[in-house]
C-alpha cells in the first residue's frame, strides 16, 4: 500500500447507483479531507437510486447531485483500498492494493424502508474502515 498524504478508497458495485454511492457518501461525510473517496460501477445506471438518495437525506447526507460513474482501470490503480459490493469478475485486480468485499443486500428496486437497514449496515462498515485506516470519524 502506498503512503499518500491521505488514503484513497474506491467503492465498486455493478450500477454505482446504491451501495457504492451510500458508502462513498458516508466515507466523505465521516472522513472529510482525511481520506480520498471514489465510487464507480462496471455497468453504471443512468441515475442514483431515489430510495438511496432519500435514505441518506434522512441522516443529513445529500447525494442528490451524484451520478453513477464507470469503473476504470485508472480509478483502481489510484486507490489504496478497493471495496467491492457485488461486481464480481468485472473488478480489475492489481497487486499491492487492499481488496475488501462487503456482502450487502442490493437496494435496487426497493423502497426507502428496505434501504434503511442497508444504509445503517454500510455506515457501520465505514466506521470500522475509518478505524482500520487510523482516521477518527467526524461527529
Amino acid at each position: 500500500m502506498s503512503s499518500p498524504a491521505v488514503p484513497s478508497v474506491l467503492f465498486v458495485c455493478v450500477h454505482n447507483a446504491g451501495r457504492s454511492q451510500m458508502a462513498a457518501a458516508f466515507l466523505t461525510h465521516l472522513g472529510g479531507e482525511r481520506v480520498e473517496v471514489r465510487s464507480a460501477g462496471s455497468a453504471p445506471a443512468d441515475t442514483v437510486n431515489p430510495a438511496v438518495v432519500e435514505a441518506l437525506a434522512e441522516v443529513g447526507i445529500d447525494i442528490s447531485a451524484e451520478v453513477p460513474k464507470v469503473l476504470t482501470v485508472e480509478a483502481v490503480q489510484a486507490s489504496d483500498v478497493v471495496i467491492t459490493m457485488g461486481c464480481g469478475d468485472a473488478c480489475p485486480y492489481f497487486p499491492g492494493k487492499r481488496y475488501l468485499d462487503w456482502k450487502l443486500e442490493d437496494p435496487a428496486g426497493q423502497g426507502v424502508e428496505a434501504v434503511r437497514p442497508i444504509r445503517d449496515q454500510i455506515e457501520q462498515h465505514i466506521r470500522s474502515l475509518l478505524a482500520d485506516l487510523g482516521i477518527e470519524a467526524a461527529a
Side-chain angles (χ1 to χ4, degrees), residues 3-21:
S3 51
V6 295
S8 176
V9 179
L10 170 64
F11 296 100
V12 181
C13 67
V14 174
H15 300 299
N16 189 224
R19 295 165 288 189
S20 56
Q21 289 284 348

Side-chain angles (χ1 to χ4, degrees), residues 36-120:
E36 185 178 357
V37 182
R38 297 179 178 89
S39 72
S42 52
D46 293 330
T47 60
V48 174
N49 179 334
V52 166
V53 173
E54 183 179 345
L56 284 175
E58 291 176 352
V59 295
I61 301 174
D62 180 11
I63 65 163
S64 59
E66 292 296 323
V67 294
K69 294 165 276 309
V70 68
L71 177 63
T72 64
V73 168
E74 294 78 17
V76 176
Q77 288 177 316
S79 301
D80 298 307
V81 181
V82 179
I83 300 173
T84 56
M85 303 173 164
C87 76
D89 296 334
C91 298
Y93 178 82
F94 293 96
K97 305 291 178 196
R98 179 177 171 198
Y99 288 86
L100 301 171
D101 185 46
W102 292 353
K103 302 294 184 202
L104 298 162
E105 188 176 338
D106 189 350
Q110 300 196 56
V112 72
E113 299 80 18
V115 173
R116 286 184 189 118
I118 302 166
R119 172 200 67 198
D120 296 344

Side-chain angles (χ1 to χ4, degrees), residues 19-39:
R19 295 165 288 189
S20 56
Q21 289 284 348
M22 284 191 280
F26 267 118
L27 187 55
T28 299
H29 182 73
L30 297 172
E33 298 293 317
R34 297 161 296 166
V35 64
E36 185 178 357
V37 182
R38 297 179 178 89
S39 72

